Amino acid sequence: MKAFLILEDKTVFEGQSIGATKEVISEIVFNTSMTGYLEVLTDPSYAGQAVVMTYPLIGNYGICREDMESKKAWPDGYIVRELSRLPSNFRSEDSIQNFLMEQDIPGIAGIDTRALTKILREKGTMNGCITTNENYDIDSIVKKLKEYKTGKVVEKVSCEETYILPGKGKKIALLDLGAKNNIAKSLNSRGCEVTVYPALTKASEIIKANPDGIMLSNGPGDPKDCESIINEIKELYHTDIPIFAICLGHQLMALATGGDTHKMKYGHRGGNHPVKDLSTGRVYISSQNHGYVVDVDKMPEGVANVSFINVNDETVEGLDYINKNIFTVQFHPEACPGPQDSSFLFDKFIKMMEGKKDA
């Protein structure tokens, strides 16, 4: 069956329909990872977006459900150059075609994803429509595309109730803003007891539980849409509890302390982004997935110091908060598979909770 991808600038790509056959309108973003397509599909940070994979062959090692980063897939749509028909992997449990159908995700294959990515890089992220309707009205669709907004998505991807991953070490409160499974696993594997809280949990409830540390997770959407969550983070900031924040959590902490964020032209999404530790000069390869960034020039003086920057564009990749046991990063130290260069940050967090000076 034919399928069409129609962009906001009236560019049209024709390919083959994959997955579900429903029509969707979404924000179109691209990911440059060569592996990890299942992790991309199950990353809650992609809620409200349709993902273009720049690597030309997707699905060649099938689906292994053990690698899923959440219970379901989150993107609105999936766009690839070529979808593998015969997965080859001893761990494979299913094909990506069946997975997309099962998860009710529509997609399109057989288009020039390189050309599409160049458009998004040159013109910036834009909305698009995936449809199997050959008699589409482009003007009508473009009007809908220009009106479409992702809206609030954090509440949709967060857990519905609190749950605990048992451990005998430090007690961590993880605020689930759309957390990937491996954040809790990374803490749990270091012996921590992890209590996962829904995104709209009151700060007073977390503080009352007397955790040794607080983790703010990744998540989807515009951080400025999370007004009520930002207010709760302000309360958490004013405690003495050590805090470690990743991605959306990093942005929300900046907003909660008087900083600002803005939308990037096309964001950082992939597994090969170099970030520089300004304290040592060392560069780490990181996994990233974000379309917004903290404005370093708008952080109030004396609140935080920049700890990491992106080597490619010098955007803020980390903040250390002055006279606080708080540090945040824009990239994903828990990413798996992918670069594990920065997994030491979880060890730094544990040392901070133990009150060690080298944390």
Side-chain angles (χ1 to χ4, degrees):
M1 183 186 297
K2 286 184 180 179
F4 304 89
L5 172 65
I6 303 161
L7 297 181
E8 209 171 325
D9 68 350
K10 294 192 175 183
T11 302
V12 178
F13 291 88
E14 180 180 330
Q16 296 85 47
S17 174
I18 57 174
T21 55
K22 66 181 182 182
E23 182 174 292
V24 295
I25 287 176
S26 189
E27 182 182 48
I28 311 297
V29 300
F30 64 88
N31 184 294
T32 58
S33 298
M34 296 175 69
T35 61
Y37 51 80
L38 181 59
E39 288 80 357
V40 169
L41 282 166
T42 55
D43 181 349
S45 293
Y46 283 110
Q49 298 174 330
V51 184
V52 183
M53 300 300 293
T54 62
Y55 189 72
L57 181 63
I58 298 296
N60 54 321
Y61 55 85
I63 296 292
C64 177
R65 295 177 191 276
E66 184 183 353
D67 297 339
M68 292 174 65
E69 284 289 357
S70 62
K71 293 179 181 178
K72 57 167 286 191
W74 291 103
D76 291 335
Y78 203 54
I79 303 159
V80 300
R81 175 69 183 91
E82 181 181 348
L83 207 64
S84 174
R85 299 297 172 191
L86 294 171
S88 177
N89 175 11
F90 74 97
R91 297 175 70 233
S92 178
E93 300 166 26
D94 207 343
S95 70
I96 190 170
Q97 295 96 320
N98 290 340
F99 184 77
L100 291 172
M101 289 290 290
E102 170 199 307
Q103 298 290 320
D104 197 32
I105 295 177
I108 182 169
I111 71 168
D112 188 343
T113 50
R114 183 165 55 180
L116 172 56
T117 300
K118 286 183 72 175
I119 290 171
L120 297 177
R121 281 179 61 93
E122 290 168 6
K123 296 185 178 181
T125 297
M126 64 180 82
N127 296 331
C129 173
I130 299 173
T131 182
T132 56
N133 179 12
E134 295 188 41
N135 299 313
Y136 61 83
D137 180 345
I138 193 165
D139 291 327
S140 174
I141 288 177
V142 168
K143 184 175 184 292
K144 292 178 183 177
L145 293 177
K146 291 186 180 297
E147 293 171 350
Y148 174 80
K149 293 187 183 301
T150 302
K152 294 188 176 185
V153 278
V154 168
E155 292 90 334
K156 295 178 182 178
V157 301
S158 180
C159 61
E160 294 181 359
E161 55 186 27
T162 302
Y163 63 94
I164 299 174
L165 297 178
K168 295 182 179 179
K170 296 295 183 183
K171 294 183 178 181
I172 310 297
L174 170 57
L175 189 62
D176 179 7
L177 306 169
K180 292 160 66 180
N181 286 342
N182 216 43
I183 293 178
K185 285 180 181 177
S186 295
L187 293 165
N188 204 221
S189 67
R190 289 166 169 80
C192 298
E193 176 185 287
V194 183
T195 303
V196 184
Y197 292 90
L200 298 181
T201 303
K202 294 291 185 182
S204 57
E205 181 180 339
I206 296 174
I207 296 166
K208 186 178 179 181
N210 195 30
D212 295 306
I214 298 170
M215 188 92 221
L216 306 179
S217 82
N218 63 292
D222 184 342
K224 290 179 181 176
D225 286 339
C226 302
E227 299 98 335
S228 63
I229 299 172
I230 292 168
N231 287 332
E232 301 304 319
I233 292 175
K234 285 179 183 177
E235 285 194 43
L236 297 177
Y237 171 81
H238 288 296
T239 69
D240 294 326
I241 304 170
I243 299 175
F244 177 23
I246 292 172
C247 197
L248 178 64
H250 155 81
Q251 297 163 7
L252 295 181
M253 180 58 76
L255 290 171
T257 53
D260 199 4
T261 59
H262 70 264
K263 189 170 185 176
M264 305 173 78
K265 187 176 181 181
Y266 49 81
H268 295 157
R269 297 176 182 89
N272 62 345
H273 289 265
V275 295
K276 184 176 182 179
D277 184 340
L278 296 182
S279 66
T280 65
R282 181 171 177 176
V283 173
Y284 299 92
I285 300 303
S286 70
S287 177
Q288 302 202 10
N289 171 20
H290 62 104
Y292 293 83
V293 68
V294 173
D295 288 322
V296 63
D297 296 333
K298 295 182 181 178
M299 284 297 292
E301 191 174 342
V303 170
N305 293 320
V306 177
S307 55
F308 290 90
I309 61 166
N310 190 291
V311 175
N312 292 332
D313 60 15
E314 297 189 343
T315 52
V316 178
E317 293 282 359
L319 292 168
D320 282 342
Y321 284 77
I322 299 169
N323 297 323
K324 285 286 189 179
N325 286 324
I326 300 173
F327 69 99
T328 69
V329 293
Q330 181 62 74
F331 51 95
H332 288 265
E334 86 294 338
C336 186
Q340 297 182 340
D341 298 27
S342 55
S343 61
F344 71 89
L345 291 170
F346 288 101
D347 300 316
K348 174 180 176 178
F349 184 40
I350 290 171
K351 287 179 181 178
M352 178 181 282
M353 288 184 285
E354 292 171 346
K356 294 184 178 179
K357 292 182 180 180
D358 60 344

